[in-house]
């Protein structure tokens, strides 16, 4: 059947160009780094970059779970509230049951709420936007009830020592973020579960026809997303030594922005942790750089909003060219 | 002759109100290409979905390799060796070729970690067996449609399929690609794979297949050996009807010509189409699905861009319009897929009716609800639409009443020419006859009407003049006494029977 050989491959871009197009966020990140390095002498220092990484870690860990859920074609708006709940439980319970059991309960609460989100989405057929919007409001309410509307303070200060562990300029928090991101990238690229995530988000009918258990699959990803939000909450409580009932408010939006900025598709089927790391770092670099330049807070928001729209516009143009 | 590898006997499948399959029996032998033909709604896709495990039959048996089997889901079908090649390809564009071939059955170790080497190697073997030029690592989204189809067919190698079902595989292929596909199919045939080939295209069926089974209204009309029959006979089996219905033909006088079309052509869809229609006249377009009828009217309406052709509107030559210009001229197109194109299902009947004409129902920008209400009441009565009120979402109405709102929407603009594409598809018998009466009323009011229909009694019953189309060409024009089923069938089937000239 040699006749088929005359069918040639569509699209003529070289693999390097393709790689850059598909990971445009890193090009963008490099540009911002160059701009800020030129405009502030404090930006390109080892200490500051270490700081950026630590600041990025919290949104970053949320973004890892969000990426999993979003490649599936879903969204999770409850991550900020889950973060607050896990942080409150981890601090609030440690006087009663000890530090590590409290941390474990915090983690478990995140996983359980993620499981609940996933189950509701998968079994009811409701859109995850609605389900997790309910979660966002309801879980936040739960946090206020548990904390009694006041910030909980840690009493055993050894708890706040962990974030002070550094490897050179890199904090433990940042190391955990990087490790988790790499691990989940491996899940996405090398495990059956990861590849099925793409298949489901890309063409749910094809995935269903191929016998993939879509419901179970989505529940797993929502559970992972909840658990990761809890990890971020616990790390935050260690860093601050307190658990604010308002912790992580609107962080779900920053998380979604970071993931989308990275290039992961909101409709699902396409994305990676590399992209998400790029998006998270770009947001963190922008914020840090603007602060170093003493930009007023509202101007910062304006700039970041503009950057987001611009980055997505570039993404749209590039993907059209590639098609 | 070899024993059948797959036999269906007495398969029955009903949906609320419809018998989709009525005691269908059908078999495929190893190394045979067996065509399954029939008009839309004949039951082909239902039968296919039963084979692929998407539907479970109410009665009947599936015998595979001599054993009665139950096909629970698509994966089970595939594991048994029954593979369905979808018309709309069932692939994930962001995944690689190898991942798509083995979608849902990726090789993993005990921990769920992908064995990428095995995946690649196996996929490469399947691709080699088919002679594909692309590799297992290519992303499916970057491949052409023909290559994507090859990826699906490669599953037959990967899963050692014994039966492969092709659903209209050439629908989006060029001629060269089609030849390559046929080479591939013949290759499968030599491997002893039994092939079910579903198509509307007679030339392909006679080029490729060994036997032909014709379905009509959920029943098998017969299975014939391809060599011993011809396209005319098969077409007759497909469309010959016994059902008689009452039709109300417009009693109107034809006046000035509204539209004249000369030499309208669109590459790959239809060529050199010329016709005219007058005030008060109902012009019917008959043809099998894929004959190019919808494409012609969509081109008139500016939805598709014609390559060639001239239009005269009320005697004056005009450039081919955009949809907005067509509406402004006084054309109305009631599309076939009313849900997708015709109605906003969550809106009420009133809002749907006035949707394309909001400017004339608004004072500056504020809507004039009273005027809207008056229009709604007028058409509700004129078309006897059954609805609880202007706010009832049209999604909750029956198909017939939905169709009437689609009509109301276009009629309230006061068109001079109304084009109805399959106006009664999916509508119950009662509403059908109401729509037929309505068509007659429109013509009697002096509108020019074009009706497209695959139902021969309908097109003969409501039209004053009928054009027959086949494969993008006008193949006959009938008026008065000449308007008979025989003539239409002859025109269409003779064209289809002739060897493909292109």
């Amino acid at each position: 059947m040699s006749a088929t050989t005359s069918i040639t491959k569509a699209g003529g871009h070289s693999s390097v160009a393709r790689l850059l197009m598909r990971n445009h966020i890193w090009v963008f990140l490099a540009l911002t780094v160059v701009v800020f390095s030129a405009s502030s002498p404090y930006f390109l220092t080892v200490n500051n970059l270490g700081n950026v990484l630590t600041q990025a870690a919290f949104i970053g860990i949320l973004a890892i779970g969000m990426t999993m859920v979003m490649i599936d074609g879903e969204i999770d708006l409850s991550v900020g509230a889950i973060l607050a709940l896990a942080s409150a439980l981890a601090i609030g319970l440690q006087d009663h049951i000890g530090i590590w059991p409290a941390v474990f309960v915090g983690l478990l609460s995140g996983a359980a709420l993620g499981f609940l989100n996933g189950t509701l989405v998968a079994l009811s057929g409701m859109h995850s936007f609605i389900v997790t919007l309910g979660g966002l409001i309801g879980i936040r309410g739960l946090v206020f009830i548990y904390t009694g509307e006041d910030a909980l303070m840690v009493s055993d200060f050894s708890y706040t020592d962990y974030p002070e562990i550094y490897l050179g300029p890199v904090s433990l928090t940042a190391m955990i973020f990087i490790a988790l991101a790499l691990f989940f990238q491996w899940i996405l690229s090398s495990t059956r579960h990861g590849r099925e995530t793409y298949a489901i988000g890309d063409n749910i009918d094809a995935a269903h026809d191929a016998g993939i258990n879509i419901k179970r699959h989505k529940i797993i990803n929502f559970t992972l997303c909840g658990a990761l939000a809890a990890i971020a909450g616990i790390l935050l409580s260690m860093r601050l030594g307190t658990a604010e009932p308002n912790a992580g408010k609107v962080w779900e939006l920053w998380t979604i922005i970071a993931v989308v900025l990275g290039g992961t598709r909101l409709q699902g089927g396409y994305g990676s942790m590399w992209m998400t790391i790029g998006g998270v770092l770009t947001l963190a670099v922008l914020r840090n750089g603007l602060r170093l330049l003493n930009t007023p807070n509202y101007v910062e928001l304006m700039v970041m909003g503009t950057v987001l729209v611009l980055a997505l516009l570039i993404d749209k143009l590039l993907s059209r060219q590639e098609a | 002759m070899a024993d059948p590898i797959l036999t269906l006997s007495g398969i029955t499948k009903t949906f609320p109100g419809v018998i989709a399959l009525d005691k269908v029996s059908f078999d495929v032998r190893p190394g045979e290409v067996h065509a399954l033909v029939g008009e839309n709604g004949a039951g082909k896709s239902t039968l296919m979905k039963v084979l692929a495990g998407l539907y479970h039959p109410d009665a009947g048996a599936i015998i595979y390799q001599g054993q009665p089997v139950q096909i629970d889901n698509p994966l089970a079908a595939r594991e048994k060796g029954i593979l369905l090649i979808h018309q709309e390809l069932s692939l994930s564009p962001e995944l690689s070729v190898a991942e798509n071939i083995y979608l849902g059955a990726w090789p993993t170790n005990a921990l769920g970690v992908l064995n990428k080497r095995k995946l690649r190697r196996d996929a490469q073997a399947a691709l080699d067996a088919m002679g594909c030029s692309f590799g297992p690592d290519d992303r499916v989204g970057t491949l052409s449609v023909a290559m994507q189809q090859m990826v699906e067919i490669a599953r037959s190698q990967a899963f050692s399929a014994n039966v492969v079902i092709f659903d209209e595989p050439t629908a989006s292929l060029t001629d060269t690609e089609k030849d390559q596909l046929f080479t591939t199919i013949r290759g499968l045939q030599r491997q002893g794979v039994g092939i079910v080939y579903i198509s509307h295209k007679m030339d392909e069926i006679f080029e490729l297949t060994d036997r032909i089974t014709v379905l009509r209204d959920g029943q098998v009309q017969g299975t014939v050996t391809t060599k011993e029959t011809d396209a005319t006979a098969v077409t007759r089996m497909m469309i010959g009807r016994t059902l008689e219905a009452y039709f109300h033909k417009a009693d109107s006088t034809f006046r000035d010509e509204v539209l004249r079309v000369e030499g309208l052509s669109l590459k790959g869809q239809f060529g050199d189409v010329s016709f005219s229609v007058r005030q008060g006249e109902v012009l019917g377009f008959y043809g099998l699905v894929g004959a190019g009828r919808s494409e012609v009217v969509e081109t008139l309406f500016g939805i598709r861009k014609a390559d060639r052709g001239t239009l005269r509107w009320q005697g004056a030559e005009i450039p081919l319009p955009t949809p907005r210009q067509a509406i402004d001229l006084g054309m109305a197109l009631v599309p076939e897929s009313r849900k997708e194109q015709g109605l906003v299902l969550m809106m009420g009947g009133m809002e749907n009716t006035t949707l394309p004409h909001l400017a004339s129902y608004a004072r500056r920008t504020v809507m004039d609800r009273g005027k809207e209400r008056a229009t709604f009441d007028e058409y509700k009565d004129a078309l006897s639409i059954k609805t609880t009120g202007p706010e009832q979402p049209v999604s909750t109405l029956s198909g017939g009443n939905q169709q009437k709102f689609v009509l109301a929407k276009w009629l309230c603009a006061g068109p001079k020419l109304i084009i109805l594409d399959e106006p009664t598809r999916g509508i119950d018998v009662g509403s059908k006859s109401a729509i037929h009466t309505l068509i007659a009323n429109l013509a009697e009011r002096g509108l020019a009407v074009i009706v497209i229909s695959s139902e021969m009694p309908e097109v003969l019953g409501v039209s004053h003049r009928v054009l027959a189309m086949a494969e993008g060409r006008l193949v006959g024009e009938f008026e008065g006494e000449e308007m008979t089923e025989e003539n239409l069938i002859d025109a269409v089937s003779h064209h289809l029977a002739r060897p493909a000239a292109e």
Side-chain angles (χ1 to χ4, degrees):
Chain A
M1 278 182 272
S2 59
T4 46
T5 48
S6 66
I7 305 179
T8 50
K9 198 161 174 253
H13 290 295
S14 75
S15 55
V16 176
R18 188 178 293 276
L19 195 72
L20 280 181
M21 277 187 182
R22 299 211 120 202
N23 292 285
H24 61 92
I25 189 62
W26 287 92
V27 180
F28 197 83
L29 178 62
L31 275 176
T32 44
V33 168
V34 169
V35 168
F36 284 127
S37 306
S39 44
S40 166
Y42 308 106
F43 179 78
L44 200 65
T45 58
V46 171
N47 261 344
N48 186 51
L49 293 184
N51 257 338
V52 169
L53 211 54
T54 306
Q55 287 158 4
F58 300 104
I59 294 287
I61 293 171
L62 295 180
I64 293 168
M66 188 71 77
T67 306
M68 298 296 288
V69 167
M70 229 141 93
I71 293 175
D72 249 349
E74 302 286 350
I75 201 157
D76 189 346
L77 298 176
S78 67
V79 289
I82 291 180
L83 171 145
L85 182 68
S87 112
L89 286 174
I91 287 193
L93 289 177
Q94 48 183 250
D95 289 346
H96 309 289
I97 58 177
I99 288 181
W100 294 111
V103 164
F104 181 72
V105 171
L107 257 177
L108 206 64
S109 72
L113 287 168
F115 180 80
L116 184 67
N117 278 336
T119 310
L120 281 172
V121 169
L123 298 188
S124 75
M126 281 189 286
H127 198 284
S128 52
F129 188 91
I130 303 298
V131 172
T132 59
L133 191 63
L136 177 150
I137 298 164
I139 297 167
R140 182 68 66 184
L142 196 62
V143 175
F144 273 92
I145 292 170
Y146 179 71
T147 58
E149 299 181 38
D150 291 319
L152 302 177
M153 296 287 290
V154 66
S155 49
D156 177 356
F157 281 93
S158 71
Y159 185 63
T160 58
D161 287 342
Y162 296 107
E164 301 308 321
I165 300 173
Y166 274 82
L167 194 71
V170 185
S171 68
L172 181 68
T173 315
M175 283 187 276
I176 290 176
F177 163 50
I178 299 297
L180 283 171
L182 294 177
F183 176 67
F184 276 92
Q185 175 56 36
W186 176 79
I187 296 242
L188 277 178
S189 66
S190 296
T191 67
R192 186 161 168 177
H193 177 80
R195 302 313 291 171
E196 284 179 357
T197 305
Y198 289 100
I200 288 173
D202 201 2
N203 186 342
I204 194 163
D205 294 326
H208 175 262
D209 287 358
I212 294 172
N213 186 337
I214 290 164
K215 290 184 175 141
R216 190 184 69 194
H217 184 92
K218 285 192 171 169
I219 292 172
I220 291 175
N221 275 349
F222 272 103
T223 308
L224 287 173
C225 187
L228 283 160
I231 292 178
I234 289 159
L235 290 174
L236 188 70
S237 73
M238 285 179 175
R239 194 163 180 81
L240 301 178
T242 62
E244 287 266 354
N246 269 323
K249 208 159 200 177
V250 303
W251 281 22
E252 59 279 341
L253 293 186
W254 288 111
T255 305
I256 293 166
I257 289 169
V259 175
V260 172
L261 193 62
T264 295
R265 210 183 281 151
L266 205 50
Q267 305 93 307
Y270 177 66
S272 74
M273 290 305 159
W274 301 120
M275 293 176 174
T276 294
I277 297 174
V280 167
L281 291 182
T282 305
L283 272 190
V285 164
L286 272 173
R287 186 173 270 176
N288 174 272
L290 290 169
R291 292 215 173 131
L292 287 181
L293 297 176
N294 280 326
T295 320
N297 193 28
Y298 47 86
V299 176
E300 185 186 317
L301 289 177
M302 272 172 52
V303 171
M304 292 180 75
T306 313
V307 163
L308 174 71
V309 174
L310 272 180
L312 292 186
L313 197 69
I314 294 169
D315 181 37
K316 196 91 195 162
L317 293 176
L318 287 179
S319 59
R320 198 174 296 160
Q321 210 176 69
E322 192 191 356
Chain B
M1 188 137 307
D3 285 337
I5 187 157
L6 176 72
T7 308
L8 303 184
S9 72
I11 296 285
T12 300
K13 175 76 189 169
T14 55
F15 295 105
V18 206
I19 302 178
L21 295 176
D22 188 4
K23 301 193 194 70
V24 168
S25 297
F26 175 80
D27 65 72
V28 198
R29 300 174 188 137
E32 166 191 57
V33 183
H34 193 148
L36 193 59
V37 300
E39 288 199 88
N40 269 3
K44 290 172 308 201
S45 24
T46 313
L47 187 62
M48 213 169 55
K49 285 177 178 165
V50 166
L51 280 174
L54 288 162
Y55 290 160
H56 303 286
D58 303 332
I62 303 174
I63 294 144
Y64 179 62
Q65 293 178 320
Q67 302 286 326
V69 291
Q70 200 179 339
I71 303 172
D72 294 322
N73 56 55
L75 189 62
R78 210 166 70 180
E79 279 165 354
K80 286 186 167 67
I82 301 172
L83 180 74
L84 174 63
I85 311 289
H86 297 262
Q87 182 176 7
E88 274 145 28
L89 298 173
S90 176
L91 297 170
S92 292
E94 288 295 342
L95 296 185
S96 74
V97 167
E99 285 167 341
N100 265 291
I101 292 176
Y102 286 93
L103 192 65
W106 293 321
T108 56
N109 67 14
L111 293 170
V113 180
L114 275 185
N115 186 341
K116 286 186 181 173
R117 270 187 39 217
K118 180 170 164 52
L119 181 66
R120 276 200 76 232
R121 201 177 52 225
D122 292 354
Q124 183 70 61
L127 293 176
D128 287 345
M130 307 238 318
C132 292
S133 60
F134 48 91
D137 296 327
D138 286 335
R139 199 162 54 87
V140 160
T142 64
L143 303 179
S144 70
V145 176
M147 294 160 88
Q148 294 189 10
Q149 198 172 43
M150 286 296 164
V151 175
E152 282 222 1
I153 301 173
R155 288 178 178 163
S156 67
Q157 304 297 322
F159 291 89
S160 323
N162 294 314
V163 176
V164 180
I165 305 159
F166 287 91
D167 182 17
E168 303 236 18
T170 59
S172 39
L173 299 188
T174 65
D175 281 350
T176 339
E177 289 167 345
K178 190 183 89 179
D179 292 341
Q180 286 161 1
L181 173 71
F182 282 11
T183 313
T184 308
I185 291 178
R186 292 201 180 95
L188 291 174
Q189 209 179 347
R190 275 195 298 277
Q191 292 175 16
V193 175
I195 290 153
V196 180
Y197 190 86
I198 297 170
S199 177
H200 284 298
K201 296 181 181 154
M202 287 295 166
D203 53 339
E204 293 176 7
I205 288 167
F206 279 88
E207 182 180 343
L208 194 65
T209 68
D210 303 307
R211 285 193 296 162
I212 304 172
T213 290
V214 181
L215 275 180
R216 192 211 305 158
D217 300 330
Q219 293 175 327
V220 172
Q221 294 302 310
T223 299
V224 291
T225 305
T226 308
K227 278 196 199 105
E228 293 164 8
T229 186
D230 58 26
T232 315
V234 172
T235 313
R236 271 170 206 274
M237 282 166 78
M238 277 168 67
I239 58 190
R241 296 220 175 230
T242 48
L243 218 76
E244 277 304 324
Y246 170 78
F247 291 100
H248 178 93
K249 192 168 293 202
D251 181 17
S252 52
T253 47
F254 307 150
R255 297 197 302 278
D256 302 339
E257 193 173 273
V258 175
L259 176 73
R260 172 169 288 275
V261 178
E262 301 273 8
L264 197 65
S265 302
L266 177 59
K267 196 168 183 299
Q269 301 291 343
F270 56 85
D272 204 22
V273 171
S274 304
F275 64 91
S276 70
V277 59
R278 290 162 285 182
Q279 288 175 335
E281 184 180 34
V282 180
L283 175 67
F285 263 84
Y286 174 76
L288 299 181
V289 172
R293 303 161 304 165
S294 302
E295 288 74 12
V296 168
V297 295
E298 283 173 9
T299 309
L300 289 181
F301 204 71
I303 296 170
R304 295 168 187 264
K305 280 265 160 282
D307 300 323
R308 263 179 296 120
T310 54
L311 245 60
R312 295 181 81 82
W313 180 257
Q314 296 180 313
E317 186 168 336
I318 54 160
L320 292 162
T322 63
R324 186 71 247 169
Q325 287 164 346
I327 294 172
D328 291 344
L329 283 170
M331 279 193 217
L333 171 62
V334 182
E336 179 179 2
S337 46
R338 58 181 173 277
K339 284 203 176 139
E340 289 81 29
Q341 297 170 22
L343 289 174
V344 184
L345 290 170
M346 301 303 281
M347 278 190 181
M350 178 171 82
E351 289 178 325
N352 266 294
T353 306
T354 55
L355 193 60
H357 330 291
L358 288 183
S360 49
Y361 288 93
R363 282 181 298 237
R364 292 182 186 275
T365 57
V366 183
M367 294 300 296
D368 182 344
R369 303 296 283 188
K371 193 173 168 191
E372 265 191 293
R373 182 64 201 244
T375 305
F376 170 77
D377 288 336
E378 180 190 337
Y379 285 100
K380 179 174 172 285
D381 294 342
L383 308 183
S384 50
I385 306 177
K386 290 186 194 68
T387 167
T388 55
E391 313 291 349
Q392 186 185 5
V394 292
S395 58
T396 61
L397 298 175
S398 73
N401 284 306
Q402 287 186 355
Q403 182 68 305
K404 287 177 186 174
F405 271 122
V406 177
L407 283 173
K409 169 169 135 178
W410 292 110
L411 289 176
C412 76
K416 300 185 177 69
L417 166 68
I418 187 159
I419 304 167
L420 306 166
D421 193 352
E422 300 281 5
T424 63
R425 170 163 300 159
I427 288 180
D428 58 279
V429 181
S431 299
K432 258 188 188 175
S433 114
I435 300 269
H436 293 149
T437 309
L438 183 72
I439 291 172
N441 291 344
L442 294 175
E444 282 160 12
R445 275 162 54 180
L447 263 76
V449 184
I450 295 178
V451 175
I452 296 178
S453 177
S454 322
E455 286 187 38
M456 199 175 294
E458 175 171 280
V459 82
L460 291 171
V462 301
S463 315
H464 296 112
R465 189 153 56 92
V466 176
L467 301 173
M469 272 193 91
E471 293 182 331
R473 306 272 158 187
L474 284 181
V475 295
E477 176 171 351
F478 305 98
E479 210 168 350
E481 295 291 303
E482 299 167 355
M483 276 172 48
T484 63
E485 293 208 4
E486 286 296 300
N487 282 345
L488 279 186
I489 294 176
D490 281 349
V492 170
S493 55
H494 278 144
H495 178 83
L496 295 176
R498 134 210 98 102
E502 290 150 293

